[in-house]
Amino acid sequence: MRDFFAEELEALRKRALDRHLREISSAQGPEIEIAGRRFINFSSNDYLGLANDPRLREAAASAIDQFGVGAGASRLISGTQSPHLRLERALAKWKGTEAALCFSSGYAAALGTIPALVTKNDVILLDKLCHASLIDGAKLSGAVLRVFPHNQLRKLESLLEWARRKHTGKRILIVTESVFSMDGDYAPLRELVELRKRFDALLMLDEAHAVGVIGPNGRGLAAAENVSEEVDIQMGTLSKALGTSGAYICGSRVLIEWLINRARSFIYSTAPAPAIAAAALAAVDFLSSHQGEERRLLLWERIRLMQELLPRAGLKGEAVAARSAIFPWIVGDEQATLNLASALQSDGFLVPAIRYPTVAKGAARLRITVTAAHTEHQIRSLCEAIRKMTNLQ
Ligand SMILES: Cc1ncc(COP(=O)(O)O)c(C=O)c1O
């Protein structure tokens, strides 16, 4: 490799911004194994503990028996197998939309969908804390992109006024998340829906960290706030609370047909493995069931316990943190965050240090995620370890 890559890596290292892979030698769950040692895992988005659930494993195994391992082609060629369509029907029913379309990842969903919705002369207004996939999709579209400060509706409103004035007759797409991935707080959905209506804009909502966690049967924040009908493009991932991989867009039949014709990451990519679609369907079925709702309520018990026990001082605001399964422990300095994560790892806890560019420079944090699969004891011992380490109450 040319020297400049080595030099740039060294520069990253000096700023404590270098990243490394770690090998997990077990299945996902509240306990995982790294290099022969067990760790309590507070790093995953497997909020309901479904990634290694027997129902999902069984669904995947029986789909492998019937459909094999690979999909063989893209969806529009010959890769659409029964599990894909069953999953899309179930997703549409669960979310209460006319139709749904699956992508092989959330990243692919954003990258394919946004450029299909808007082009060069249109406008995208995107929340500053949106996930990289949404930012990249917005950039790829070539539309005029304006980023508004996180959740600041006044600013969004003035941008909407500007866009309507300066880009008369063009499409305006508002892009945001319902639960923000690194902060765990919510978008002000009711107000956003109001603005969407007033300015005749389109609203795309990424519910990646809300589905399975929030709303009746885990249908997300839009369902919880009863505004699903006013969200034009409902995105979610299958890779977090639903325990598998891939993502979906739910919306009108016309929207889905349009994406089938225009979303390049859908068209020009091999279909997801049928076994993954079958496992995701089992997850949707589970969420729609009484047992699934019980699991979701158990998650909320665990969230409340974490909220109660985590020393207050490091949290980004009490009310904010307790609204999802994500607890951002803001440290600020990158090296200090790495030190804290590695001290926790020595104590047997895996908690990821999140640094720039995932979050802003100087806003490094431990991102603690709690799942329904954690025991009370595991949560208590993490909080105790943090308390000892930081001398905070
Ligand atoms: C808000 C948000 N959207 C999209 C994605 C991308 O999803 P995937 O991991 O399935 O590519 C993620 C996380 O990875 C995310 O946090």
Side-chain angles (χ1 to χ4, degrees), residues 105-108 131 133 177 179 181 206 208-209 235 237 239-240 246-247:
S105 71
Y107 193 84
H131 188 258
S133 57
E177 293 174 28
V179 169
S181 59
D206 182 353
H209 296 275
M235 172 176 159
T237 52
S239 50
K240 296 172 172 70

Side-chain angles (χ1 to χ4, degrees), residues 346-385:
S346 306
D347 272 8
F349 302 98
L350 186 64
V351 180
I354 307 290
R355 294 159 293 157
Y356 176 82
T358 307
V359 294
K361 278 186 192 142
R365 66 200 60 190
L366 295 178
R367 179 179 182 267
I368 304 165
T369 45
V370 65
T371 74
H374 284 113
T375 62
E376 284 191 25
H377 178 69
Q378 288 169 332
I379 294 172
R380 282 181 199 283
S381 30
L382 172 74
C383 294
E384 195 48 39

Side-chain angles (χ1 to χ4, degrees), residues 50 56 71 73 107 150 169 186 202 205 247 254:
L50 292 181
L56 275 67
Y107 193 84
H150 179 49
Y186 290 7
L202 291 166
L205 184 67
V254 171

